[in-house]
Amino acid sequence: MMSNSKEVRKITVVGTGVIGASWAALYLARGFNVVATDPAPNAEVDLRQYVDSAWKALEVLGLSQNASKDRLEFSRDMKRALADADFVQESGPERPEFKIKLFADIDAATPPDSIIASSSSGLTMSVIQSACKHPERCVIGHPFNPPHMIPLVEVVAGAKTSSETVQRALEFYKSIGKKAIHVRKEMVGHVANRIQGALYREVVYLIEQGVLDVADADAAVSWGPGLRWGVMGPNMLFHLGGGQGGIQHFMDHLSGPVSTWWKDLGAITDFTPQIKQTIIDGVLKEASGRSVEELAQERDTMLLELLAARANAAGERRQASLALKEEVQ
């Protein structure tokens, strides 16, 4: 039985690709001792370079009191890295057989009252934990890329995960500033990637049908609904779309047209070679010679401004709420 009161002080990051490195940077920024492990030849050098690069954004977002890049340790010996971990964030390759074996090894080397979370974007925890001796402390903790900037993390139990583990994981992620959501039922791809995939299927369909080109498809999302989605989710936005009658008016009068659109959506289930090439050509044209690194910098700069705006708005709401409570009292 795991203890609810176990404090997280040391975090082990297993797998230091882009996702694992981003997690490591975030945990360091929140003041934790981090041990990272990865068998790749240049893993430590690449990880430390990533952390150095990410630190600028983390400084803008706000560092915790004990934040320090000096708290990062790297070990090629996974067992040693896991020996006294309070929390494990696994971000290895997305292959079922590999993940099952990796989790069994992590489970065997980690204190039994520690949580083992997987960043898996699509595999279910029921599959991943299937060979573990302590599967009750294994849970999905799936971030959105890059984890050190995007707040969302999806927490999903497997068939053998305890409810206590789910609550501990949710509380831990929220305590470090993540927007942790509890996905209550296992689905391949979890939630956010399924929503993203559903939108992209229609984008690909519209390009395939010659309705618009790649650049205009991106503009239709990022300069239209995407701007609103950066502020509120679709349910709340349709509440606003219903005018004074709110969501009730929307459901009474506007849900019909929306369901008509659903019936006309594209039903494609695969990428043809032709549409792959069309999108590749269109993306490279839209990028206009900018490198992936330059585009990522552009994305991250805008993300920082959006996150700052949302934090300011949340702070103003809290102040208004406190002022209202004082007036009532």
Side-chain angles (χ1 to χ4, degrees), residues 287-303:
S288 300
R290 289 170 293 175
S291 68
V292 169
E293 290 75 16
E294 288 170 326
L295 290 165
Q297 183 61 50
E298 184 180 315
R299 175 201 66 190
D300 292 351
T301 300
M302 294 293 286
L303 276 175

Side-chain angles (χ1 to χ4, degrees), residues 31-248:
F32 294 102
N33 293 319
V34 177
V35 182
T37 183
D38 191 301
N42 298 318
E44 182 174 5
V45 171
D46 292 345
L47 170 62
R48 293 190 183 278
Q49 285 179 348
Y50 187 100
V51 170
D52 285 340
S53 176
W55 208 253
K56 301 182 188 81
L58 287 162
E59 286 176 331
V60 174
L61 291 170
L63 300 176
S64 296
Q65 188 174 2
N66 297 319
S68 173
K69 292 184 284 185
D70 294 337
R71 289 177 176 267
L72 176 61
E73 180 187 342
F74 186 90
S75 175
R76 291 201 177 280
D77 185 341
M78 190 175 79
K79 285 185 180 179
R80 178 178 167 276
L82 292 165
D84 55 354
D86 300 315
F87 190 96
V88 180
Q89 188 76 51
E90 176 274 329
S91 303
E94 286 283 284
R95 299 196 305 272
E97 298 79 10
F98 178 89
K99 208 81 125 174
I100 291 167
K101 172 69 164 58
L102 178 61
F103 249 66
D105 290 344
I106 294 173
D107 179 49
T110 311
D113 57 349
S114 301
I115 289 176
I116 308 173
S118 176
S119 300
S120 177
S121 61
L123 299 174
T124 64
M125 182 44 63
S126 290
V127 169
I128 296 171
Q129 70 185 179
S130 58
C132 292
K133 290 183 178 178
H134 297 283
E136 70 281 352
R137 43 73 170 268
C138 301
V139 68
I140 293 288
H142 172 242
F144 241 51
N145 192 32
H148 71 277
M149 293 183 69
I150 302 289
L152 181 69
V153 59
E154 299 172 315
V155 175
V156 199
K160 298 177 181 177
T161 305
S162 73
S163 58
E164 182 188 348
T165 295
V166 172
Q167 288 308 310
R168 284 177 62 198
L170 285 166
E171 288 168 11
F172 168 69
Y173 284 128
K174 288 175 182 177
S175 75
I176 62 169
K178 300 297 280 182
K179 190 68 177 178
I181 63 170
H182 181 195
V183 180
R184 291 168 169 80
K185 183 178 179 181
E186 284 189 303
M187 302 284 282
V188 174
H190 316 315
V191 171
N193 271 334
R194 290 177 70 96
I195 293 170
Q196 188 171 240
L199 173 67
Y200 195 51
R201 179 165 79 165
E202 187 61 16
V203 166
V204 172
Y205 173 72
L206 292 170
I207 294 169
E208 184 185 56
Q209 293 296 304
V211 176
L212 75 183
D213 64 15
V214 170
D216 281 347
D218 280 348
V221 175
S222 67
W223 288 100
L227 286 173
R228 299 192 305 202
W229 291 334
V231 179
M232 292 179 183
N235 296 302
M236 190 63 77
L237 286 167
F238 282 139
H239 180 46
L240 301 183
Q244 290 302 311
I247 194 65
Q248 183 68 52

